[in-house]
Amino acid sequence: MAEQTTPTLRDHIGRIVDARWFQNAVILVIILNGVSLGMETYQDRFGHLETYFRLAEHGFVAFFVVELSLKLWARGWAFFRDPWNWFDLMVVGVALIPASEGFSVLRLLRILRLLRLISVIPQMRGIVNALFRSVPGLGAVIGVLFVIMYTAAVLGEKLFEGISPEYFGDLGTTLYTLFMLLTTENWPDISDSVMGEAPYAWLYFVVFIVISAFIVLNLIIAVIVTTMEDEFSAERWEEDQQLELRQHETVLNRIDALAEQVTRLSDQVRELGGVPGRGAAPDAEAADRSE
């Protein structure tokens, strides 16, 4: 019989850190921290609570430091293998910088603690991971979009520089104008500024908007959606593999148990004078032969 090992303090802390109630507590504290930071922006209404906000800030920081310390203790060096843990360390570490004048800008980064909701909630973490994995595919599509915009900017600057310099005065201004066309926001105002003197301009605007806004941007969305589907399908496949492994182990354990029972029954039959695996006992066979 295998000797059972006594759970260590690290094992107990690991169970606490992985417990659902502990994760819910972290999420609740992050939300409360966000509410507190939001209320601080209303100086006219909550300015008299500045002392309480400062105490709450110290409490939030202390909670996050204890949380990360427990995770570090429970997981050891494996803690640093997860990039999200590095993100949490950076966000919480900013709050530990002294509130001096030279670090006042860094202190403003404490609002980034709200982003810890992404690292704590698995569904959000999966979405961000999918976005990062879609970067290689997005790079090609965004490169195509940049080539189209640059070509259209040079063409637009040559065609409409003298008609509408406020939108097509130079290459930089034209690129910004095309970016506004890309968002399809107020594009009639831009087209109307040149349509009076260049009636053919509608062809330029329609072709650019159709290619950039309707085709290329939809390609970007398609790449992101495909990557997200692959990400969540991979997670479900891994869960299915784990479930199948557990079921396989259960079946093997039952087969082993049945084999042990068969072995015990065979031993009992031998002890009683029978022959395992034969349909009739020796005495019955002898009686048949005498008849």
Side-chain angles (χ1 to χ4, degrees):
M1 185 174 179
E3 183 180 356
Q4 296 182 352
T5 59
T6 304
T8 62
L9 180 59
R10 171 173 288 185
D11 296 331
H12 289 297
I13 294 177
R15 283 195 291 269
I16 293 175
V17 169
D18 295 332
R20 184 62 184 173
W21 64 267
F22 185 82
Q23 300 297 326
N24 291 335
V26 173
I27 294 173
L28 178 61
V29 173
I30 293 174
I31 294 175
L32 291 176
N33 191 187
V35 172
S36 175
L37 292 173
M39 292 175 64
E40 288 184 25
T41 62
Y42 293 93
Q43 292 293 334
D44 54 339
R45 297 184 182 180
F46 304 107
H48 61 286
L49 300 177
E50 183 178 357
T51 302
Y52 297 100
F53 286 141
R54 193 178 299 111
L55 291 175
E57 173 69 12
H58 292 321
F60 291 136
V61 173
F63 177 86
F64 293 134
V65 169
V66 172
E67 175 217 351
L68 292 180
S69 300
L70 291 176
K71 287 183 177 180
L72 180 59
W73 191 354
R75 295 167 186 171
W77 290 108
F79 176 87
F80 298 101
R81 298 174 187 168
D82 189 350
W84 287 106
N85 291 333
W86 284 98
F87 173 78
D88 293 338
L89 283 174
M90 180 192 70
V91 171
V92 176
V94 169
L96 302 178
I97 297 176
S100 60
E101 209 174 296
F103 297 101
S104 57
V105 176
L106 292 177
R107 292 286 295 173
L108 293 177
L109 296 179
R110 59 182 182 157
I111 192 64
L112 294 178
R113 287 203 296 268
L114 293 178
L115 296 179
R116 289 203 59 210
L117 281 175
I118 299 176
S119 65
V120 174
I121 301 177
Q123 291 81 3
M124 292 185 179
R125 193 165 59 240
I127 292 175
V128 175
N129 289 335
L131 288 176
F132 278 112
R133 292 190 178 186
S134 65
V135 169
L138 286 177
V141 180
I142 292 175
V144 171
L145 178 60
F146 177 77
V147 171
I148 293 173
M149 289 189 64
Y150 189 85
T151 304
V154 174
L155 180 61
E157 194 273 337
K158 298 296 184 183
L159 292 175
F160 311 125
E161 177 185 9
I163 302 175
S164 179
E166 67 273 18
Y167 290 120
F168 299 95
D170 53 44
L171 182 60
T173 303
T174 307
L175 282 172
Y176 181 72
T177 301
L178 293 182
F179 180 78
M180 289 191 291
L181 291 175
L182 186 65
T183 63
T184 65
E185 185 69 23
N186 295 329
W187 76 269
D189 297 335
I190 300 173
S191 62
D192 291 344
S193 66
V194 299
M195 288 286 290
E197 299 184 29
Y200 61 86
W202 68 268
L203 183 62
Y204 172 85
F205 292 108
V206 170
V207 170
F208 175 78
I209 291 176
V210 169
I211 294 177
S212 61
F214 296 154
I215 296 179
V216 179
L217 287 184
N218 283 326
L219 283 176
I220 294 175
I221 295 173
V223 171
I224 295 175
V225 171
T226 302
T227 307
M228 291 181 63
E229 289 180 352
D230 294 340
E231 177 75 16
F232 289 105
S233 297
E235 291 182 0
R236 287 194 296 268
W237 182 84
E238 185 176 354
E239 292 175 357
D240 292 340
Q241 290 295 109
Q242 294 177 355
L243 179 60
E244 290 181 2
L245 180 60
R246 289 195 296 268
Q247 292 175 346
H248 182 68
E249 292 177 350
T250 302
V251 171
L252 289 180
N253 292 333
R254 290 181 179 178
I255 292 176
D256 292 340
L258 289 175
E260 292 179 0
Q261 292 179 2
V262 171
T263 302
R264 288 198 299 269
L265 289 175
S266 299
D267 294 340
Q268 292 176 1
V269 170
R270 290 191 183 91
E271 292 176 359
L272 294 175
V275 179
R278 296 181 59 181
D283 295 340
E285 293 179 356
D288 291 338
R289 286 196 298 270
S290 64
E291 291 179 358

